[in-house]
């Protein structure tokens, strides 16, 4: 009982200390932002800022590399970074959404690093000089934007949408995580895991890498938003390379994600996965090379459904479920133009994918059938709470896009998807879905999917057809295999040297969707899979789909590669 | 019996360091190298030389800005640089055809730093194979090249005499107590720079590098040496009236953190730097000038490093894109008869201060040697790596490179000596006299420099540019010296050397990093002041800004 009381008392003290630290940071950010809003508004020659946002990211980062039982590199870095957004003008017309090719408006009067300690005045000084730089750049850009618009006789009303959305302020403090990495244990684990490749002498390069970031992001804005959001994330990447029978290098990988040290896979489990990976790599090395061009139905299984199809719907191009508003562009010869970009915001209400599929973002969903959803989040980096359920595509019809506080012609409010992720030793902000729920109105029993695929091939007069399926391991992301199916016998054979030529319109004809549902956690980065960087995202999706028509290119290079002249030390050892 | 023991003890005491056993890691490298060489030397075209360099580095970095710690980093890693030669020593893959420039060769791989034969050998094996393929392609292309025959005959490689040398592992721990002391020094010295609107930077940075360097070669070299360096770098920057930053730096060098100067001394230096920054802010911008000048010892050291040092790097003599400033000047006067220039990498310290350009063995295996490049004004020698040039067939221990790159001849500790030293007062009198002769109102005194660069190819003017940080006008009419800013010391080498008239009696050291095609390496320059009858200056480039639009927050009540 005494112990319990003591622990409780300690917790209160710790919480109190954390709170005091938080308050110093919040006070420094709020006071300096307030002072700048007020003082910058008084300047005669400048347009007043109407919005400011200060972000402070406090991080502790580790990365360790190991190969064949030895650590190769180990890095620890503690630091703080800042983000700052300042806009002049007003919500309808400001300095943003404007690319000025006539002048370089970057100003730099210095940079002061943020202190690692919570020194109130030092934090303010750091934000003061950065605010100055951003303000001068924004002011110049705004002047240029107004001049360019005036030359073309344009006013606010002629703009495709307002420049910035109004959102309600929020106050939210999420408890930070203690840095839970146990460095010695982590190093020993990756050493032990990496040693598993010692049994595979033909794998000439293998590496196990553990990345970890423990971060806390503080953010305040001039609308009254005040929030702190923690980010604790582990990535373990395992890669292996060997030569195939044509003496070209092939590689495969496994990636694991975890929100805590304890959630990382055990050594035993990972070693078992490495065994699967290595045997699969050996099999691929000896597999037949495919050197044709294939056009026809393809079946995607498990994570290949996401990696090759669904995640690409959130790409960084114009045709995307993430809104991409083209900026006004000011050129010396043409003056102001709006580049003619056909983005999906013009397709809202129209069919963009097969009517069997519906896609909803359910970012508030924490788990699905007992599986933790890493893509879950409460609030985005701009202080906007995402809707519990946001329909993006309903039976093939585009209903909405993910947009942040930069409105599009179709959506003038943020959906709250500007999110926190990691890239190397820092946290990043990026537009990203949270929990993506892919539903279908028409299912086929999984057991019948392969037969359906063969039937489609026969109708097309094809003698073979493809299944793309990742290696089955406990990893969140395992390399994919391409299987060639003999239409006559139904026999599956692993093939190598293939590349899928995916087009977004391939998803307009999804012939079959399986009745099983799978859950995946992964990283999203710049419109695709992030592998070892990006924002955590979850997908709840049918386990397999068959596209009516897609393309695969084989490797047409008939010239063999070259094996190393000297045999590998691993081979010698095994002999 | 007792006598026998005594003899044994005496013998043990006199066993040189080089006879001690290598450690396990070096043995792993040598074993794999031998296995690779046995097979690769029988290929067509054959490999005739292989060497492995492994640099195991532990880095600690702590940074403070304006009194606050802003970054803490630690990094442990080992890097392999594998180098091999295909062909034979008379013509190999590094051969330079007439009129062509040499290539930079990058042969880097991360490698485990534990004594794990399997893991280490696997990296050695794969990297050697990658390097072999590149070298073979390079060799075949050079063999097939249609080019002008070079009348100068020289080999592409001088194997030298293999050596074995071993330094025991350093058992050094950067303790929490030591870290706390360093943190306190960084905070208190960076705090000296006031947090006002004009100060753009007020930084103190601690860097501690513990490096264990392994070198093994197919000739039989097995060399293991340590490199330790602790530094505190002070950097201050103040905004000029035009808005651009005026920067000053000061570096304290030591081998170990405990050998760095006391906190009081470092804080005092930060104070001096701040005062100098304020004075520089008020100082006038110097106009372009031609006339007499004195280069204080540090400025003179950098001047010799840039203008002379890079032009006596031997490998340049076989590269016909190089200007060959000194190629045909052997045994001819290039400096006043009173002056000599020596490169001495064996020198660990000078006047108690450690020298960055010290090493025992270079990065190609040869032991470091003292090279008297200029004796009494006459050019006598060049800095040599294992790449021979006509008349200089062997290395003199100056083949150097940063991790990942192939070595070329580079500088070490440069020493400028004079047998006719003058006091500072005498040099100033010479300056004034020469100014009067040239009808100049003032001459220049270059007290400190930050660094510089030189171009030595044939496409660009063969010139140098030294970046002074503290420059004074010395008036002939006896007015006090006047601090100026925005000056760059420029010129061309031969004209400049012909104008060196005298040297001072006191030496000072410039420790720094030198960059060239084999990467960044630590070097030192030790020189007395020199008096030059004619130098030229140009304006430094400037960045113009209106400065911050509102003042920095000054206190907790500043809302």
């Amino acid at each position: 009982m005494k112990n319990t009381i003591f622990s409780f008392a300690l917790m209160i003290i710790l919480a109190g200390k954390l709170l005091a630290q938080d308050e110093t940071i919040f006070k420094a950010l709020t006071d300096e932002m307030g002072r700048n809003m007020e003082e910058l508004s008084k300047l005669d020659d400048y347009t007043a800022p109407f919005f400011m946002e200060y972000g402070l990211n406090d991080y502790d980062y580790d990365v360790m590399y190991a190969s064949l039982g030895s650590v190769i590199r180990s890095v620890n870095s503690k630091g703080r970074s800042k983000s700052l957004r300042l806009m002049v003008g007003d919500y309808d017309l400001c300095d943003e959404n404007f690319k000025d090719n006539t002048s370089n408006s970057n100003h730099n009067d210095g940079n002061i690093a943020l202190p690692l300690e919570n020194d109130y005045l030092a934090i303010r000084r750091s934000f003061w000089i950065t605010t100055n730089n951003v303000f001068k750049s924004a002011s110049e850009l705004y002047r240029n934007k107004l001049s360019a618009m005036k030359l073309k006789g344009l006013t606010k009303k002629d703009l495709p949408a307002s420049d910035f959305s109004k959102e309600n302020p929020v106050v939210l403090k999420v408890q930070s995580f203690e840095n839970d990495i146990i460095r010695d244990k982590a190093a020993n684990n990756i050493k032990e895991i990496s040693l598993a490749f010692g049994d595979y002498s033909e794998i000439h390069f293998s590496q196990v890498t553990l990345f970890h970031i423990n971060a806390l992001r503080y953010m305040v804005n001039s609308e009254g938003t005040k929030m702190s959001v923690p980010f604790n994330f582990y990535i373990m990447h395992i890669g292996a390379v060997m030569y195939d029978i044509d003496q070209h290098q092939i590689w495969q990988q496994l990636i694991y994600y975890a929100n805590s040290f304890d959630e990382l896979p055990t050594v035993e489990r990972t070693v078992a996965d490495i065994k699967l990976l290595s045997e699969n790599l050996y099999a691929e090395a000896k597999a037949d090379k495919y050197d044709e061009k294939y056009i026809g139905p393809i079946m995607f299984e498990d994570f290949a459904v996401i990696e090759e199809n669904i995640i690409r719907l959130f790409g960084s191009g114009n045709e995307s479920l993430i809104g991409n508003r083209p900026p006004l562009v000011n050129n010396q010869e043409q003056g102001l133009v709006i580049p003619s970009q056909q983005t999906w915001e013009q397709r809202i209400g129209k069919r963009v994918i097969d009517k069997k599929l519906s896609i909803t973002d359910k970012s508030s969903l924490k788990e699905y059938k007992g599986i933790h959803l890493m893509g879950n989040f409460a609030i985005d980096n701009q202080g906007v709470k995402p809707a519990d359920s946001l329909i993006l595509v309903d039976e093939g019809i585009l209903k909405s896009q993910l947009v942040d506080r930069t409105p599009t012609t179709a959506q003038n409010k943020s959906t709250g998807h500007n999110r926190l992720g990691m890239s190397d030793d820092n946290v990043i902000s990026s537009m990203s879905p949270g929990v993506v729920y892919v539903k279908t109105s028409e299912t086929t029993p999984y057991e019948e999917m392969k037969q359906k695929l063969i039937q489609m091939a026969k109708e097309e007069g094809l003698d073979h057809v493809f299944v793309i399926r990742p290696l089955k391991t406990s990893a969140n992301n395992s390399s994919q295999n391409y299987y060639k199916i003999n239409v006559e016998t139904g026999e599956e054979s692993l093939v190598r040297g293939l590349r899928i030529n995916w087009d977004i319109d391939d998803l307009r004809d999804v012939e079959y969707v399986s009745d099983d549902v799978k859950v995946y956690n992964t990283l999203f980065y710049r419109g695709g899979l992030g592998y070892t960087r990006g924002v955590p995202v979850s997908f709840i999706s049918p386990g397999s789909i068959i596209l009516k028509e897609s393309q695969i290119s084989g490797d047409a290079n008939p010239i063999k590669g070259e094996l190393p002249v000297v045999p590998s030390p691993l081979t010698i050892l095994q002999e | 019996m007792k006598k026998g023991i005594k003899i044994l003890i005496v013998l043990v005491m006199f066993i040189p360091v080089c006879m001690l056993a290598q450690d396990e890691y070096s043995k792993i490298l040598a074993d794999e190298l031998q296995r690779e060489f046995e097979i690769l030397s029988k290929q067509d075209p054959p490999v005739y030389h292989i060497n492995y360099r492994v640099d195991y580095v532990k880095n600690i970095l702590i940074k403070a800005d304006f009194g606050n710690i802003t970054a803490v980093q630690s990094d442990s890693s080992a890097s392999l640089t594998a180098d091999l030669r295909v062909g034979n020593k008379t013509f190999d893959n590094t051969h330079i055809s007439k009129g062509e420039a040499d290539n930079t060769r990058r042969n880097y791989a991360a490698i485990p730093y534990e004594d794990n034969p399997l893991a280490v050998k696997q990296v050695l094996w794969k990297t050697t194979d990658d390097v072999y393929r590149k070298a073979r392609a390079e060799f075949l292309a050079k063999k097939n090249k249609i080019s002008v025959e070079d009348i100068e005959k020289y080999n592409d490689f001088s194997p030298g005499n293999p050596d074995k040398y071993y330094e025991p592992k350093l058992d050094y721990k950067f303790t929490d107590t030591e870290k706390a002391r360093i943190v306190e020094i960084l905070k208190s010295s960076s705090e000296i720079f006031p947090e006002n609107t004009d100060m753009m930077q007020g930084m103190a940075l601690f860097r501690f590098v513990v490096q264990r360097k392994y070198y093994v070669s197919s000739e039989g070299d097995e060399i293991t040496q340590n490199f330790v360096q602790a530094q505190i770098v002070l950097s201050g920057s103040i905004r000029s009236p035009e808005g651009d930053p005026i920067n000053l730096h000061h570096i304290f060098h030591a081998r170990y953190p405990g050998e760095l100067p006391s906190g009081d001394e470092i804080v005092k230096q930060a104070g001096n730097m701040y005062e100098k920054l304020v004075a520089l802010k008020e100082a006038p911008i110097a106009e372009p000038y031609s006339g007499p000048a004195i280069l204080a010892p540090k400025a003179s050291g950098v001047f010799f490093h840039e203008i002379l040092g890079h032009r006596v790097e031997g490998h340049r003599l076989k590269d016909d894109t190089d200007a060959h400033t000194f190629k045909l000047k052997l045994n001819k006067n290039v400096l006043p008869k009173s002056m000599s220039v020596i490169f001495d990498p064996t020198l660990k310290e000078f006047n108690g201060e450690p020298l960055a350009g010290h090493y025992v063995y270079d990065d190609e295996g040869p032991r470091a040697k003292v090279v008297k490049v200029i004796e009494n004004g006459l050019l006598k020698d060049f800095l040599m790596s294992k790449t021979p040039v006509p008349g200089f067939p062997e290395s003199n221990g100056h083949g150097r490179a940063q991790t990942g790159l192939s070595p070329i001849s580079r500088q070490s500790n440069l020493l400028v000596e004079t047998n006719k030293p003058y006091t500072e007062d005498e040099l100033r009198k010479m300056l004034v006299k020469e100014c009067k002769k040239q009808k100049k109102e003032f001459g220049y005194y270059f007290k400190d420099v930050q660094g510089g660069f030189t171009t030595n190819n044939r496409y660009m003017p063969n010139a140098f540019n030294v970046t002074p940080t503290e420059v004074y006008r010395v008036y002939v009419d006896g007015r006090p010296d006047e601090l100026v800013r925005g000056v760059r010391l420029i010129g061309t080498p031969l004209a400049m050397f012909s104008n060196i008239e005298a040297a001072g009696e006191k030496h000072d050291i410039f420790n720094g990093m030198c960059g060239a095609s084999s990467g960044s390496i630590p070097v030192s320059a030790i020189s007395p002041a020199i008096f030059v009858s004619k130098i030229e200056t140009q304006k430094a480039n400037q960045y113009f800004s209106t400065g911050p639009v509102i003042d920095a927050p000054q206190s907790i009540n500043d809302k």
Side-chain angles (χ1 to χ4, degrees), chain B residues 36 46 60 66-67 75 91 103 118 120 155 168 172 177 226-227 238 326 329 338 350 368 393 483 536 541-542 551:
Chain B
E36 299 283 337
I60 294 169
F66 295 109
D75 185 347
F91 188 104
N103 297 326
L118 182 68
V120 173
N155 287 344
Y172 183 81
T177 315
N226 301 311
F227 174 81
I238 198 165
F326 294 129
K329 294 226 167 9
S338 58
F350 187 84
L483 184 68
E536 188 172 345
N541 59 326
Q542 269 189 294
D551 285 340

Side-chain angles (χ1 to χ4, degrees), chain B residues 17 22 35 38 42 45 61 76-77 103 287 342 460 462 495:
Chain B
V17 173
Q22 288 288 336
R35 190 178 78 90
E38 269 179 31
K42 292 172 187 143
L61 183 145
S76 296
S77 65
N103 297 326
E287 292 298 314
I342 298 158
M460 300 289 288
N462 210 241

Side-chain angles (χ1 to χ4, degrees), chain B residues 77-379:
Chain B
S77 65
S79 309
L80 164 70
T81 309
D83 212 351
L84 59 77
R85 289 181 180 240
V86 168
N88 58 54
K89 70 177 183 181
T90 61
F91 188 104
D92 68 23
N93 57 297
T94 69
H95 189 80
I96 300 175
S97 298
K98 193 79 180 156
E100 293 206 331
D102 196 8
N103 297 326
T104 298
R105 292 174 184 81
R106 294 173 197 280
N107 305 318
Y108 164 88
I111 190 165
Y113 45 77
E114 293 162 314
D115 297 340
N116 175 340
L118 182 68
V120 173
K121 286 183 176 185
Q122 189 71 4
V123 176
L124 294 171
W125 163 73
K126 186 66 181 73
T127 310
T128 308
D129 184 65
D130 293 343
V131 178
Y132 172 62
R133 288 174 196 230
K134 283 195 276 182
R136 184 183 59 184
E138 204 178 15
F139 174 77
L140 293 172
K142 287 183 175 178
K143 268 287 184 198
N144 296 333
K145 184 92 186 160
I146 299 166
S147 59
V148 174
E149 190 185 355
D150 198 338
I151 51 167
E152 292 178 323
K153 299 295 175 198
Y154 49 81
N155 287 344
D156 284 331
F157 187 61
S158 61
N161 300 314
D163 213 343
K164 291 191 193 302
Y165 175 79
Y166 175 79
E167 290 177 5
K169 275 184 185 168
L170 290 169
D171 186 21
Y172 183 81
K173 293 230 171 1
F174 184 52
T175 62
D176 287 346
T177 315
E178 216 161 30
K179 184 179 174 186
R181 187 182 85 90
I182 293 293
V183 163
E184 194 46 46
I185 291 174
L186 297 179
K187 284 169 119 176
S188 50
S189 54
S190 66
E191 201 170 26
I192 291 291
F193 301 103
E195 298 182 290
N196 61 42
T197 302
D198 281 345
M199 282 306 294
M200 298 176 78
Q201 187 186 39
M203 185 196 82
L205 180 139
F206 168 75
R207 197 186 292 130
F208 182 40
V209 183
V210 180
Q211 197 173 7
R212 187 151 175 83
K213 292 160 73 86
Y214 296 90
Y215 177 88
V216 296
S217 79
S218 49
E219 276 83 52
D221 290 293
E222 281 183 44
I223 291 153
T224 306
Q225 53 188 333
N226 301 311
F227 174 81
V228 196
Q229 190 179 55
Q231 286 183 327
I232 286 184
V233 181
L234 297 177
S235 290
S237 180
I238 198 165
R239 199 182 319 279
S240 78
E242 300 80 32
D244 68 330
I246 300 170
N247 307 310
L248 285 179
H249 309 280
H250 188 90
I251 303 177
F252 297 94
H253 281 269
R255 274 168 54 79
Y256 292 98
E259 295 169 1
L260 283 163
S262 69
D264 288 348
E265 195 178 327
I266 294 169
V267 169
K268 189 179 167 193
Q269 180 61 39
N272 293 342
M273 186 183 283
Y274 175 61
E275 282 176 20
K276 195 67 67 188
L277 283 168
V278 172
L280 277 165
K281 187 187 166 192
E282 306 298 325
I285 295 173
E287 292 298 314
Y289 169 89
S290 169
I294 293 171
L295 276 64
K298 276 190 182 179
S300 170
V302 173
F303 166 80
F304 275 102
H305 171 92
E306 293 298 342
I307 293 119
L308 181 110
H310 283 299
R311 289 174 173 80
V312 294
E313 291 165 343
H315 72 282
R316 299 183 188 279
L317 303 185
K318 60 189 283 189
D319 180 347
D320 283 317
T321 63
D322 185 89
H324 290 173
T325 312
F326 294 129
K327 186 168 182 177
L328 298 175
K329 294 226 167 9
L330 206 63
N331 293 315
K332 289 184 180 162
N333 265 319
V334 293
L335 282 180
K337 282 180 184 169
S338 58
M339 294 181 78
S340 298
V341 177
I342 298 158
F343 285 88
D344 185 0
T346 67
L347 207 58
K348 274 188 182 177
E349 55 183 45
F350 187 84
N351 289 343
E353 188 174 336
L355 297 176
H358 162 69
Y359 51 90
V360 182
Y361 283 80
D362 76 4
D363 296 316
E364 291 184 309
R367 196 173 180 100
K369 286 180 187 162
V370 180
V371 184
K372 291 183 178 175
V373 169
I374 293 170
E375 282 185 80
N376 301 322
L378 298 175
L379 181 69

Side-chain angles (χ1 to χ4, degrees), chain A residues 35 68 70-71 73-74 76 78 108-109 114 116-117 119 124-125 128 132 136 191 562 566-567 570, chain B residues 35 69 72 74-76 114 116 125 133 136 187 195 239 543 545-551 558:
Chain A
R35 186 179 82 100
L68 293 170
S70 270
V71 173
R73 191 175 179 207
S74 169
N76 171 252
K78 290 183 182 67
N108 184 3
D109 288 325
L114 279 166
L116 293 186
E117 296 143 321
D119 183 311
R124 286 186 59 177
R125 282 182 54 79
W128 155 72
N132 169 78
K136 285 170 79 173
K191 279 165 74 167
E562 187 185 359
V566 180
L570 276 171
Chain B
R35 190 178 78 90
I69 297 299
V72 179
S74 62
D75 185 347
S76 296
E114 293 162 314
N116 175 340
W125 163 73
R133 288 174 196 230
R136 184 183 59 184
K187 284 169 119 176
E195 298 182 290
R239 199 182 319 279
Y543 164 80
S545 166
T546 53
V549 289
I550 63 171
D551 285 340
D558 194 1

